[in-house]
Amino acid sequence: MGISKSAYRRYKVIDSMLRNKSRVYPSIEDIQEECANRLDIRPSLDTLEKDFRNMKFPEPDGFDAPIAYCRQNRGYHYTIPNYSINGVSLTDKDVDSIKEALEILQNIGSSRVSDSFNYALNKILVSYKEEFPDSDSKRKIIETESVPGSRGFEHFETLFNACKNKTPISFTHYSYQKRKFNSVIVHAVLLKEFDNFWYLLGYSESHKELRTFGFDRIYDPMLLNRKFIPTPQEVVNNYYKDIYGVYPIMKQPKQEIVFFVSSFVSNYFEAYPIHESQKCEKYYFQNKFTINVVPSVELVRLLRSYGSEINVLEPDWLDKIINNRDDEEK
């Protein structure tokens, strides 16, 4: 559950009083009076005691605040010097940058992350609304494509932790083409989004190589207590570098692909290049494009989607697959 704006406003008052060097060890009555002065609402003592407990909860439920009561001075204080629920001090430039970033996050929305990520975002936004009450935060100016409730996304946090903590993971994988389930053990290294779908990249023990698994085909993931097989970061960085999409066509190396595109459709390819290696030669009625990539299932689908507007010149095997609509194994 997220932190309400009213609760966070009280937390800010409590935090400022516990950090006030000129008025140390404030009593709960002092804090109550300060809330009444600054917030125009006088919280009950029970509410403030609950606030103390909530602030002391570890993240993500609270701020892990080191609040303690000093019997000798009959007041509250932080046991860690210079602690603040705000973490670090920010310059005006920092605040402006964070304000812009939070506006983007708020307008994009949080449908692509798990509940714990949503909670963290909500906590930031509550603080943001408090610090910048005059912001135009309700006006949506960015909207991204997102399909809520997509299959497998409920495992996002488990798969994320497998990558982050370098923990092997087992799950049941379903092949749409073979129409069967297989159990696999994967040493996950990366989560990747492509074309509004999410994928897991990791070393598969059964395949003895890096493999890509779509979230929608992952069932019953479980973290394992066994030795993690690492993949060099350079290999991970380069895995998707020379591919459009996520599923390379089996046994096909990186190669030059040449295709002719009608003048009208070529505008889209020039505006949104397929790959950084893309080159274009302009002719009167059509243009010739060249890319140097590892052929992929997604590339085949992309080229097919334009129908007769595209004609593949090289390699010959790719032209046959596209014209015959002979899907490769994923």
Side-chain angles (χ1 to χ4, degrees):
M1 180 181 296
I3 300 174
S4 68
K5 184 176 181 179
S6 59
Y8 188 80
R9 294 177 69 193
R10 295 195 303 273
Y11 296 168
K12 294 275 289 184
V13 174
I14 295 171
D15 180 66
S16 65
M17 292 197 70
L18 298 185
R19 290 189 296 110
N20 189 343
K21 304 299 183 182
S22 62
R23 189 181 176 185
V24 296
Y25 300 107
S27 67
I28 192 170
E29 290 80 11
D30 293 334
I31 295 174
Q32 182 186 48
E33 188 65 27
E34 188 70 11
C35 286
N37 294 334
R38 293 173 57 175
L39 307 179
D40 295 326
I41 295 177
R42 182 181 295 274
S44 67
L45 299 183
D46 287 341
T47 296
L48 292 177
E49 289 179 350
K50 183 179 179 181
D51 288 342
F52 294 154
R53 291 195 299 270
N54 291 341
M55 292 174 67
K56 291 165 70 173
F57 283 143
E59 295 183 354
D61 299 316
F63 297 92
D64 220 357
I67 300 175
Y69 180 77
C70 179
R71 294 184 180 276
Q72 181 179 355
N73 295 284
R74 298 182 180 181
Y76 292 86
H77 67 111
Y78 282 144
T79 58
I80 299 177
N82 300 321
Y83 173 86
S84 171
I85 63 173
N86 295 321
V88 295
S89 299
L90 301 174
T91 65
D92 290 341
K93 184 176 181 180
D94 293 331
V95 170
D96 289 339
S97 298
I98 292 174
K99 180 179 177 180
E100 292 180 9
L102 290 176
E103 286 177 344
I104 292 174
L105 284 173
Q106 189 177 41
N107 283 294
I108 288 177
S110 54
S111 62
R112 298 188 177 196
V113 295
S114 65
D115 289 341
S116 63
F117 287 82
N118 283 339
Y119 179 86
L121 175 59
N122 179 66
K123 188 159 68 174
I124 294 174
L125 291 177
V126 169
S127 174
Y128 164 52
K129 292 173 185 177
E130 172 66 19
E131 293 295 330
F132 312 106
D134 297 328
S135 68
D136 194 9
S137 59
K138 293 184 179 179
R139 184 168 65 95
K140 191 171 185 177
I141 56 176
I142 300 174
E143 183 169 341
T144 60
E145 181 182 8
S146 179
V147 181
S150 57
R151 185 194 301 169
F153 198 78
E154 66 271 18
H155 304 311
F156 183 94
E157 188 167 358
T158 299
L159 301 177
F160 175 84
N161 287 330
C163 295
K164 178 183 177 181
N165 301 323
K166 297 182 178 181
T167 304
I169 187 170
S170 68
F171 54 82
T172 301
H173 178 259
Y174 181 70
S175 172
Y176 288 148
Q177 188 170 26
K178 294 181 179 180
R179 296 186 178 181
K180 68 176 185 178
F181 291 90
N182 283 311
S183 296
V184 294
I185 296 177
V186 176
H187 301 259
V189 293
L190 181 70
L191 302 183
K192 181 177 176 65
E193 184 187 19
F194 177 79
D195 198 21
N196 203 35
F197 292 94
W198 281 89
Y199 302 88
L200 171 72
L201 174 68
Y203 176 82
S204 169
E205 290 192 8
S206 56
H207 296 94
K208 306 298 182 185
E209 62 180 1
L210 281 178
R211 299 284 288 203
T212 298
F213 302 91
F215 275 25
D216 57 313
R217 278 151 280 185
I218 293 177
Y219 295 83
D220 302 321
M222 181 175 63
L223 300 176
L224 303 176
N225 184 19
R226 59 189 294 171
K227 185 177 179 181
F228 182 80
I229 301 176
T231 300
Q233 189 59 47
E234 182 179 357
V235 175
V236 176
N237 294 341
N238 291 331
Y239 189 81
Y240 291 120
K241 181 179 179 181
D242 295 320
I243 183 174
Y244 172 84
V246 294
Y247 286 112
I249 294 177
M250 299 295 291
K251 300 179 181 179
Q252 287 295 338
K254 180 179 177 180
Q255 56 195 277
E256 188 174 78
I257 297 175
V258 182
F259 51 96
F260 285 99
V261 183
S262 67
S263 297
F264 173 72
V265 172
S266 67
N267 292 324
Y268 295 99
F269 282 87
E270 291 184 72
Y272 303 98
I274 298 177
H275 189 258
E276 61 182 18
S277 65
Q278 178 175 299
K279 296 179 181 179
C280 176
E281 296 180 26
K282 295 183 177 293
Y283 296 94
Y284 188 70
F285 291 109
Q286 59 183 359
N287 296 329
K288 184 173 77 171
F289 286 86
T290 302
I291 55 175
N292 198 351
V293 298
V294 175
S296 66
V297 173
E298 291 79 12
L299 179 61
V300 171
R301 291 175 181 167
L302 175 68
L303 297 180
R304 280 180 179 173
S305 68
Y306 288 98
S308 60
E309 301 287 342
I310 287 183
N311 179 33
V312 175
L313 182 64
E314 297 176 6
D316 184 62
W317 66 266
L318 181 58
D319 178 53
K320 291 180 179 179
I321 287 180
I322 293 175
N323 290 329
N324 294 333
R325 305 201 178 281
D326 181 20
D327 271 325
E328 291 288 324
E329 164 66 13
K330 285 177 33 172

